[in-house]
Amino acid sequence: MKLSRDYLFEMIFNDLHYELNEREFHIYFHNFEKMKGKGIEPNEVTYTTIIDGYAKTNQLQKVNQLVKEMVSKGIKPNIVTYTTLIDGYIDTNQPDKVEQILREMVSKGIKSDVFTYSSVLNCYVKSNQIDK
C-alpha cells in the first residue's frame, strides 16, 4: 500500500505533538504554517492538535482564531476538538465558556463521550460548582 505524501506528513506532524514541551510549541506551530505554505491542507486532526497546543499554553485567543479558520475552510470540529476546547477553558477557570461549548456541541448534534463528561466534571470540581 502506497501512502500519499500528505498522509505521511499528517502522521509525522500529529505524532510529534506528543513529543514536544511547552517551550518547543512555537517551532511546532511554525511547521504547521510551513505545511500549509507547501499546499498541504490540514485536516480536523491537525487543527485539533494545534488547538490543543495553544490551549495547553493558555493562548485561547489563538485557539479561537484556529477554530474560525478551521470552520471557514469547511472543516467541522469533532468531539475531540470540542473536548480540547473544554479542557483549555477549564485550565483558565472559565466554567461559563465550558457550558457555552457544550451547548454548541448539542446544537450541532455532536454527542459527548466519556472524555467530554470527565472534562466537564473536572471543570465543576475545579470551579467549586459540584452542585451542577
Side-chain angles (χ1 to χ4, degrees):
M1 175 171 98
K2 184 178 178 187
L3 300 175
S4 74
R5 180 186 78 140
D6 290 1
Y7 179 77
L8 288 172
F9 194 87
E10 289 279 345
M11 283 179 30
I12 292 166
F13 186 79
N14 292 326
D15 285 345
L16 281 175
H17 171 259
Y18 300 104
E19 302 292 327
L20 299 177
N21 63 40
E22 192 172 315
R23 281 182 268 180
E24 296 169 320
F25 184 71
H26 69 282
I27 296 168
Y28 184 64
F29 182 74
H30 173 75
N31 287 330
F32 173 70
E33 291 299 318
K34 191 174 175 181
M35 178 182 95
K36 292 190 307 184
K38 290 186 178 204
I40 301 171
E41 287 298 320
N43 62 18
E44 70 276 353
V45 174
T46 306
Y47 271 108
T48 299
T49 302
I50 292 292
I51 288 167
D52 183 50
Y54 277 133
K56 285 180 177 170
T57 57
N58 296 326
Q59 297 182 62
L60 298 178
Q61 184 176 4
K62 290 186 179 183
V63 165
N64 291 325
Q65 289 171 345
L66 277 175
V67 171
K68 287 178 185 176
E69 178 183 317
M70 181 180 183
V71 171
S72 75
K73 292 184 180 252
I75 302 169
K76 295 179 182 178
N78 60 24
I79 185 64
V80 178
T81 310
Y82 280 108
T83 302
T84 300
L85 292 170
I86 287 169
D87 287 339
Y89 286 105
I90 290 169
D91 290 343
T92 58
N93 195 28
Q94 296 185 53
D96 293 340
K97 188 68 176 171
V98 169
E99 290 177 1
Q100 178 185 340
I101 293 167
L102 281 172
R103 285 190 299 273
E104 182 179 329
M105 283 175 57
V106 169
S107 74
K108 293 186 178 192
I110 298 173
K111 295 184 182 195
S112 299
D113 62 12
V114 66
F115 299 105
T116 308
Y117 287 124
S118 177
S119 292
V120 172
L121 288 173
N122 184 29
C123 172
Y124 291 140
V125 168
K126 283 185 172 184
S127 63
N128 200 24
Q129 297 181 15
I130 307 280
D131 55 332
K132 287 196 171 193

